[in-house]
């Protein structure tokens, strides 16, 4: 069996990949200079936790078949230097995923927004259908023990991330996966620290389309004008194109009903963005041989990916949602989804500037108009997040000018934010907390208890 060493084994995907390969029978070793939960416990349970933290070139021996390098490793990493000296094959994790799945049918779901949810929908339906498949997804999903699985089955479903493959290779991860079935959910500029202009960002999706295997399929959101123009710019004659749009649906008494191929079912999820995601997932499953009735029967029980419109608290008066939204298009879509589903309820929207892009002065203007459907709204940022990213202080006046939302409040301490939330209407209200972080450790349980005891 192959002998594989992981440099930076404590990474979210890296440790999951190491574990699934160990289960496959591979001989796995690894190193890291810091490992946090849940990776620490997961590696320990699998018998893969390094005995000591740090980098040890002596672990890199000539009998290794490959070295996999995580985002945490740098070019001068002593283990990496040793691997190069010994001419051992070196892979980023997406390169290694492809190498392990080159004989599989590869489904790769990309896009600026909705790719995790769309991937989760496909995985949910396939699992309910007892369809055998491997997978790579960027979140922990209900019903799946891990976020990466590699076995000997003939199909793999991958979330295709446009972020760099590793610190050594700045090309996007999804450029290495060469799909047979590709999905693009939409294009909205993000990751400005890597893609400083929208044109550079868009070009990554052009390259992704060029990577689709001959006789493959591209499923794309034709309602996205930028994406539609890009797809039509240089059409390939060796792949099939399947455009999709917002599917037929209706909302009755707070429940969304969807209709596909004249079959109507109720859903546990809501919002136009989720309906777009569902339509993409439907076409993936149909391309894999699952009929509409089977798809719709199984998608009814889908409750959403982790931290995607997750209900933290629900009383007769107040519902508190948490969502991973951070890019402008995601924030806007999430706010609109909640307001459209509950049009008569007061909507309090709270958004944390947490990513490099969102904290960048030049990117503030991209958030203009995203809060239009909120009844009250606030933006939060943590000063120490700026310090960690080595970014200058936030100009709150400029931030408000760029977002241009009447009544917008801005906070940089969690105490002030919590006090503001507790001053919002207490009856017939939805509170939406949006962040890829945790609002600087805002005590969600304390917040919930305040509403329960009002």
């Amino acid at each position: 069996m192959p002998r594989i060493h992981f440099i930076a084994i404590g990474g979210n995907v890296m440790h999951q990949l190491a574990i699934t390969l160990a289960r496959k029978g591979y001989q796995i070793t690894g190193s890291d200079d810091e490992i946090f939960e849940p990776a620490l416990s997961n590696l320990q349970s699998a018998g893969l936790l390094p005995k000591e933290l740090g980098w040890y070139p002596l672990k890199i021996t000539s009998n290794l078949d490959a070295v996999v390098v995580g985002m945490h490793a740098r070019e001068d990493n002593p283990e990496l230097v040793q691997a190069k000296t010994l001419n051992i094959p070196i892979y980023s994790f997406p390169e290694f995923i492809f190498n392990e799945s080159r004989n599989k049918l590869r489904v790769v779901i990309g896009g600026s927004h909705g790719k995790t949810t769309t991937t989760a929908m496909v995985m949910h339906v396939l699992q309910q259908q007892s369809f055998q498949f491997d997978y790579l997804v960027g979140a922990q999903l209900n019903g799946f023990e891990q976020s990466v699985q590699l076995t000997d089955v003939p199909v793999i479903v991958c979330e295709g991330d446009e972020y760099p493959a590793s610190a050594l290779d700045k090309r996007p991860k999804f450029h290495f996966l060469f799909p047979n079935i590709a999905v693009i959910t939409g294009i909205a500029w993000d990751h400005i620290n890597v893609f400083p202009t929208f044109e550079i960002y868009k070009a990554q999706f052009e390259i992704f389309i060029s990577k689709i295997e001959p006789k493959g399929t591209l499923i794309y959101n034709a309602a996205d004008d930028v994406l539609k123009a890009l797809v039509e710019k240089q059409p390939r004659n060796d792949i099939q194109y399947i455009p999709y749009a917002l599917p037929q649906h209706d909302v009755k008494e707070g429940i969304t009903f969807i209709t596909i191929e004249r079959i109507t079912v109720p859903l546990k999820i809501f919002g136009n963005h989720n309906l777009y995601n569902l339509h993409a997932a439907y076409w993936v499953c149909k391309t894999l041989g699952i009929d509409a009735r089977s798809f719709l029967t199984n998608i009814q029980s889908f409750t959403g990916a982790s931290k995607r419109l997750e209900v933290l608290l629900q009383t007769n008066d107040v519902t508190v949602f948490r969502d991973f939204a951070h890019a402008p298009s995601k924030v806007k879509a999430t706010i609109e989804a909640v307001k459209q589903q509950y049009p008569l309820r007061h909507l309090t929207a709270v958004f944390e500037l947490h990513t490099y892009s969102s904290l960048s002065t030049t990117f503030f203007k991209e958030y203009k108009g995203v809060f239009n459907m909120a009844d009250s709204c606030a933006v939060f940022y943590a000063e120490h997040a700026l310090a960690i990213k080595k970014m200058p202080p936030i100009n709150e006046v400029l931030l408000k000018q760029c977002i241009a939302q009447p009544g917008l409040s801005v906070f940089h301490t969690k105490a002030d934010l919590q006090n503001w939330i507790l001053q919002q209407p207490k009856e017939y209200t939805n509170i939406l907390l949006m962040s890829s972080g945790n609002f600087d450790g805002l005590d969600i349980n304390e917040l919930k208890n305040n509403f329960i005891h009002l």
Side-chain angles (χ1 to χ4, degrees):
M1 278 294 179
R3 297 170 58 92
I4 314 294
H5 181 78
F6 283 74
I7 300 177
I9 196 171
N12 180 40
V13 174
M14 288 284 282
H15 88 274
Q16 299 268 10
L17 178 57
I19 290 170
T20 192
L21 291 177
R23 290 176 178 172
K24 197 175 177 180
Y26 289 19
Q27 296 183 49
I28 303 298
T29 57
S31 300
D32 213 323
D33 59 355
E34 56 181 13
I35 302 177
F36 303 106
E37 295 292 358
L40 192 148
S41 293
N42 291 341
L43 288 169
Q44 191 167 41
S45 297
L48 298 177
L49 186 67
K51 292 180 179 179
E52 296 179 309
L53 292 178
W55 313 114
Y56 300 93
L58 291 178
K59 288 185 177 182
I60 309 301
T61 55
S62 57
N63 63 348
L64 286 173
D65 294 289
V67 166
V68 183
V69 183
M71 284 295 294
H72 184 53
R74 296 293 175 256
E75 198 157 0
D76 61 352
N77 183 287
E79 294 186 5
L80 180 59
V81 171
Q82 178 71 352
K84 290 178 178 178
T85 300
L86 296 177
N87 292 316
I88 297 168
I90 299 169
Y91 300 91
S92 63
F93 90 77
E95 288 178 294
F96 191 82
I97 292 285
F98 172 74
N99 195 54
E100 289 292 300
S101 61
R102 59 174 62 246
N103 295 321
K104 300 178 187 288
L105 185 151
R106 294 176 300 281
V107 178
V108 182
I109 298 167
S112 303
H113 41 72
K115 53 184 174 286
T116 301
T117 298
T118 304
T119 306
M121 288 175 171
V122 171
M123 290 171 59
H124 177 82
V125 171
L126 295 183
Q127 184 186 61
Q128 296 298 308
Q129 286 288 113
S130 298
F131 189 107
Q132 297 297 303
F133 67 101
D134 285 336
Y135 54 85
L136 164 66
V137 63
Q140 191 67 51
L141 305 180
N142 291 333
F144 294 88
E145 184 183 354
Q146 56 213 57
S147 58
V148 184
Q149 176 175 285
L150 282 173
T151 63
D152 296 323
V153 299
V155 174
I156 186 168
V157 178
C158 299
E159 178 180 344
D161 188 0
E162 69 269 29
Y163 209 68
S166 74
L168 314 178
D169 193 332
K170 300 300 184 183
R171 289 175 294 174
K173 297 182 182 79
F174 68 173
H175 288 182
F176 295 94
L177 297 174
F178 300 94
N180 304 97
I181 301 171
V183 175
I184 304 180
T185 60
I187 299 176
W189 189 25
D190 199 3
H191 308 306
I192 66 169
N193 53 321
V194 180
F195 311 112
T197 69
F198 187 36
E199 290 304 312
I200 293 173
Y201 183 74
K202 279 196 303 182
Q204 310 314 309
F205 291 90
E206 288 190 73
I207 296 169
F208 176 57
I209 294 172
S210 76
K211 302 283 187 181
I212 299 170
E213 297 282 13
K215 299 183 180 178
T217 300
L218 173 60
I219 299 163
Y220 68 98
N221 184 354
D224 184 309
D225 292 336
V226 172
L227 173 56
K228 186 172 182 288
L230 185 142
V231 168
E232 294 174 350
K233 181 179 173 184
Q234 291 180 315
R236 290 176 56 180
N237 59 15
D238 62 341
I239 63 173
Q240 176 189 18
Y241 290 87
I242 300 178
Y244 67 91
L246 189 66
Q248 182 183 343
H249 65 282
D250 193 16
V251 179
K252 299 176 183 176
E253 298 180 0
I255 297 174
T256 296
F257 292 78
I258 190 168
T259 302
I260 294 178
E261 293 189 24
R262 297 190 296 278
I263 303 168
T264 301
V265 299
L267 301 174
K268 294 184 183 298
I269 55 171
F270 62 87
N272 286 354
H273 65 306
N274 272 328
L275 297 180
Y276 279 113
N277 296 336
L278 185 151
H279 211 181
Y282 159 74
W283 280 111
V284 171
C285 291
K286 184 168 185 176
T287 307
L288 290 172
I290 294 172
D291 61 72
R293 186 169 298 280
S294 297
F295 175 83
L296 291 169
T297 297
N298 291 305
I299 202 65
Q300 290 180 73
S301 57
F302 180 77
T303 56
S306 175
K307 297 182 182 178
R308 271 69 175 183
L309 279 177
E310 179 181 359
V311 176
L312 297 179
L313 170 70
Q314 193 161 33
T315 70
N316 291 333
D317 296 313
V318 177
T319 301
V320 179
F321 296 93
R322 175 172 59 185
D323 196 274
F324 191 70
H326 54 86
S329 60
K330 299 176 184 178
V331 174
K332 184 174 187 289
T334 304
I335 290 172
E336 290 179 352
V338 176
K339 194 61 177 178
Q340 288 166 358
Q341 195 75 359
Y342 305 97
L344 300 181
R345 280 197 161 210
H346 180 97
L347 175 56
T348 297
V350 185
F351 170 55
E352 179 180 11
L353 304 176
H354 183 70
T355 64
Y356 183 95
S357 295
S358 67
L359 288 164
S360 301
T361 301
T362 55
F363 201 68
F364 288 168
K365 64 182 183 298
E366 302 296 323
Y367 289 95
K368 184 177 181 179
V370 301
F371 294 101
N372 282 350
M373 293 189 73
D375 298 297
S376 56
C377 53
V379 169
F380 172 81
Y381 67 93
E383 292 180 326
H384 77 85
L386 294 165
I388 290 170
K389 293 179 172 66
K390 298 180 180 178
M391 300 179 73
I394 293 286
N395 182 330
E396 294 187 6
V397 173
L398 177 62
L399 176 63
K400 286 185 176 182
Q401 288 175 346
C402 289
I403 295 177
Q405 183 68 28
L408 175 70
S409 297
V410 177
F411 302 101
H412 58 265
T413 70
K414 59 186 176 185
D416 288 342
L417 174 63
Q418 179 155 323
N419 288 336
W420 180 86
I421 294 173
L422 292 174
Q423 291 167 15
Q424 298 306 301
K426 307 297 191 299
E427 296 180 352
Y428 218 49
T429 293
N430 288 325
I431 297 172
L432 177 57
L433 306 174
M434 297 169 287
S435 176
S436 58
N438 65 358
F439 293 95
D440 199 27
L442 180 70
D443 191 332
I444 300 297
N445 288 326
E446 182 183 345
L447 187 66
K448 285 160 52 177
N449 287 334
N450 274 306
F451 281 105
I452 291 171
H453 295 114
L454 284 172

